[in-house]
Amino acid sequence: MAKPIVAIVGRPNVGKSTLFNKIIGERRSIVEDTPGVTRDRIYGESEWNGRKFILIDTGGIEPKTDNMILQKMRQQAQIAIDTADAIIFMCDINAGLVADDRDIAIMLKKSGKPVVLCVNKADRVGDVDPTFYEFYELGFDKDPIAVSSVHGTGTGDLLDEVLSSIPEKEEEEEDDDVINVCVIGKPNAGKSSIINKILGTDRLIVSSMAGTTRDAIDTRFENEYGKYNFIDTAGIRRQSKVDDRIEKFSVLRAHMAVERADVCLLVVDATEGVTDQDEKIAGIAHEAGKAVIIVVNKWDLPETEDKDTVKYTKKVYEALSYMTYAPVIYVSALTGQRVVKIFEQINYVFNQSKMRVSTGMLNDVLNEAITRVQPPSDKGRRLKVYYMTQTSVAPPTFVLFCNSAALFHFSYQRYIENCLRDTFGFKGTPIKLIIRQRSEEDETRI
């Protein structure tokens, strides 16, 4: 059956993210005893009694606030409510029934969606806290359910009630041709703005305040170029500036998001150029073996006086000397300039990262490379490279068998890698070379 969508909503700091993590079985949402930690909508998938469903964690709703971020959090929560098939409305038994709970209840009733009232932090063993009965005043059709999101008690009854309120839908085929695209970069480089321009909607909160996006957010998107899942990540700051515990969680989420990606978009601020922090962020994707596209954003601004893309690209590659394989594209998230070109590059580098080359063709290139540039030697002993084979893709990985791994210097490995790129392309993807040492006697027996 098609997966139903369930949204968790409520005031800040009532335990929504803890319940979300408990249900999906992993720490995807940031959990911290600080109001306003979860800002955008976080998606996860779970299963209960053989029925799979999608769970959305939302930022805390404060119905009456002048704070811009809190106002946008409410907008995001409203979008989640509109998207959901059913809603878990979470309150806090320790705080009791408060005015904001009543305001949120009115908002949820207007949505017309099935609502299950969840009273969290009911950790007492035995009798139910008398405060629990206050929540009947909210007037929902279903009885409230007491849970402890920390311990997991009551969550089974909660899920039974939620899923029973959602009629089953027709089966939808799973997409196995979706490209996962992770958007990485410094805070305020324009990552969320680029995704919003691509989607044509304010899917992600956009603010000039650095650090707005704290979690990694997944967004499915399909157009004439293909099917994509965009993963927006918190801007990765310098380690010396990561003094906030929540910020540290965000950096960890960014690393995890890169691991899930097929392609990474490294967003660079054109007005600043490639900074030391950009180099470190790029290194995360490079070390993870991910295909990378360098997206130079804000190319429309007056500060980018040097509009010569050839010169600018040269500067980019000078700063990212280990990533000259990555294509560079110049865009403006504000005007939409060349943003659509990103899809062509995504498809191209994704296919390049999945490319396989036959062993015969690889060894033709290897033999020609050895003939052109003789392998290094040391103290009368010369490196012999017997043969090469490809073992995996994404990144393309090659094993080279030789007589001495110590003689196979990094510079000669780089030479072999360049020969592979000159012949087969592998644009946008790192190449991994694994050196295996074999004795000459072993090679004679083969």
Side-chain angles (χ1 to χ4, degrees):
M1 304 300 295
K3 299 184 186 70
I5 300 173
V6 180
I8 306 174
V9 301
R11 294 184 295 107
N13 209 27
V14 296
K16 297 182 298 299
S17 294
T18 303
L19 178 66
F20 176 88
N21 290 337
K22 178 67 70 174
I23 292 175
I24 69 169
E26 60 177 285
R27 281 176 61 92
R28 183 174 300 179
S29 268
I30 298 173
V31 179
E32 189 75 7
D33 190 20
T34 305
V37 169
T38 303
R39 293 174 174 174
D40 293 298
R41 289 160 284 150
I42 313 298
Y43 291 75
E45 187 174 309
S46 190
E47 183 176 354
W48 182 251
N49 287 338
R51 193 173 180 189
K52 293 181 179 179
F53 61 96
I54 295 170
L55 192 64
I56 308 177
D57 184 22
T58 65
I61 300 174
E62 293 197 23
K64 299 172 183 177
T65 179
D66 295 326
N67 183 283
M68 184 190 69
I69 291 291
L70 293 178
Q71 287 177 350
K72 290 203 172 188
M73 284 165 59
R74 175 172 178 172
Q75 294 171 9
Q76 292 296 314
Q78 184 63 57
I79 294 172
I81 292 167
D82 295 340
T83 304
D85 297 298
I87 297 159
I88 296 174
F89 174 26
M90 180 174 278
C91 298
D92 181 350
I93 198 169
N94 294 331
L97 183 60
V98 300
D100 281 354
D101 291 329
R102 298 179 190 275
D103 291 339
I104 295 170
I106 293 172
M107 183 175 74
L108 295 179
K109 288 176 182 178
K110 289 180 179 178
S111 74
K113 302 292 179 70
V115 177
V116 178
L117 179 57
C118 164
V119 183
N120 191 31
K121 305 182 184 179
D123 302 326
R124 272 177 44 174
V125 178
D127 295 337
V128 176
D129 190 313
T131 307
F132 173 77
Y133 297 102
E134 295 180 1
F135 294 93
Y136 278 90
E137 296 180 24
L138 293 175
F140 288 102
D141 296 334
K142 299 177 182 292
D143 291 338
I145 297 176
V147 305
S148 170
S149 58
V150 172
H151 303 295
T153 54
T155 55
D157 293 338
L158 177 66
L159 292 176
D160 283 340
E161 195 66 55
V162 169
L163 292 176
S164 67
S165 68
I166 305 173
E168 295 189 353
K169 302 176 183 178
E170 291 298 319
E171 181 86 34
E172 289 181 358
E173 292 186 5
E174 292 288 336
D175 290 333
D176 55 2
D177 55 350
V178 174
I179 301 177
N180 291 299
V181 183
C182 180
V183 186
I184 57 177
K186 294 185 307 181
N188 210 23
K191 302 180 299 300
S192 296
S193 297
I194 286 175
I195 295 182
N196 285 342
K197 181 60 68 173
I198 288 172
L199 300 176
T201 181
D202 287 335
R203 166 63 183 83
L204 306 172
I205 294 174
V206 179
S207 167
S208 59
M209 184 189 306
T212 301
T213 305
R214 289 180 183 259
D215 290 281
I217 318 297
D218 287 27
T219 304
R220 289 291 183 98
F221 182 73
E222 182 176 355
N223 61 9
E224 65 270 25
Y225 295 97
K227 299 175 183 178
Y228 308 91
N229 179 43
F230 283 95
I231 309 168
D232 183 41
T233 60
I236 306 174
R237 301 172 185 270
R238 291 180 180 273
Q239 195 63 35
S240 60
K241 294 185 179 180
V242 185
D243 53 2
D244 180 270
R245 189 178 176 192
I246 300 170
E247 193 77 31
K248 291 179 181 177
F249 276 127
S250 298
V251 174
L252 177 61
R253 294 295 185 278
H255 282 265
M256 293 169 63
V258 168
E259 290 295 332
R260 291 195 289 130
D262 299 307
V263 177
C264 291
L265 302 183
L266 172 64
V267 181
V268 174
D269 188 332
T271 63
E272 297 181 8
V274 178
T275 65
D276 291 343
Q277 185 64 1
D278 289 317
E279 293 180 40
K280 293 177 182 178
I281 295 169
I284 295 173
H286 177 77
E287 291 298 324
K290 304 299 179 178
V292 177
I293 300 166
I294 301 169
V295 181
V296 181
N297 188 29
K298 307 181 184 179
W299 194 243
D300 59 306
L301 297 183
E303 293 93 321
T304 56
E305 296 177 358
D306 187 358
K307 294 291 186 179
D308 189 329
T309 57
V310 175
K311 290 182 180 178
Y312 201 99
T313 300
K314 184 178 179 181
K315 291 179 181 178
V316 169
Y317 287 149
E318 285 175 354
L320 302 175
S321 57
Y322 55 87
M323 196 175 274
T324 55
Y325 56 80
V328 182
I329 183 170
Y330 296 85
V331 305
S332 167
L334 181 64
T335 66
Q337 181 185 21
R338 284 190 292 275
V339 168
V340 71
K341 296 290 184 181
I342 293 175
F343 291 108
E344 297 175 0
Q345 291 292 341
I346 290 171
N347 292 347
Y348 180 63
V349 301
F350 175 76
N351 291 329
Q352 291 281 294
S353 73
K354 296 286 187 179
M355 185 191 304
R356 282 193 177 274
V357 182
S358 69
T359 300
M361 294 179 68
L362 284 174
N363 285 283
D364 287 343
V365 173
L366 177 64
N367 292 331
E368 183 179 343
I370 292 173
T371 301
R372 193 181 315 128
V373 177
Q374 199 172 42
S377 61
D378 184 44
K379 297 178 180 178
R381 190 183 185 201
R382 184 168 297 280
L383 170 68
K384 293 182 180 179
V385 186
Y386 300 121
Y387 66 96
M388 173 170 54
T389 186
Q390 185 174 1
T391 56
S392 63
V393 297
T397 303
F398 305 91
V399 178
L400 293 95
F401 296 91
C402 65
N403 65 332
S404 172
L407 288 174
F408 213 135
H409 301 155
F410 172 78
S411 58
Y412 202 71
Q413 291 182 39
R414 178 59 62 88
Y415 166 67
I416 296 297
E417 177 183 329
N418 290 337
C419 289
L420 290 173
R421 292 190 184 279
D422 290 342
T423 305
F424 304 112
F426 294 116
K427 186 71 173 176
T429 179
I431 289 176
K432 185 177 180 181
L433 300 183
I434 300 174
I435 309 303
R436 291 281 185 265
Q437 181 172 314
R438 283 187 173 181
S439 67
E440 296 185 36
E441 291 77 9
D442 289 337
E443 294 304 319
T444 304
R445 296 193 197 103
I446 295 178

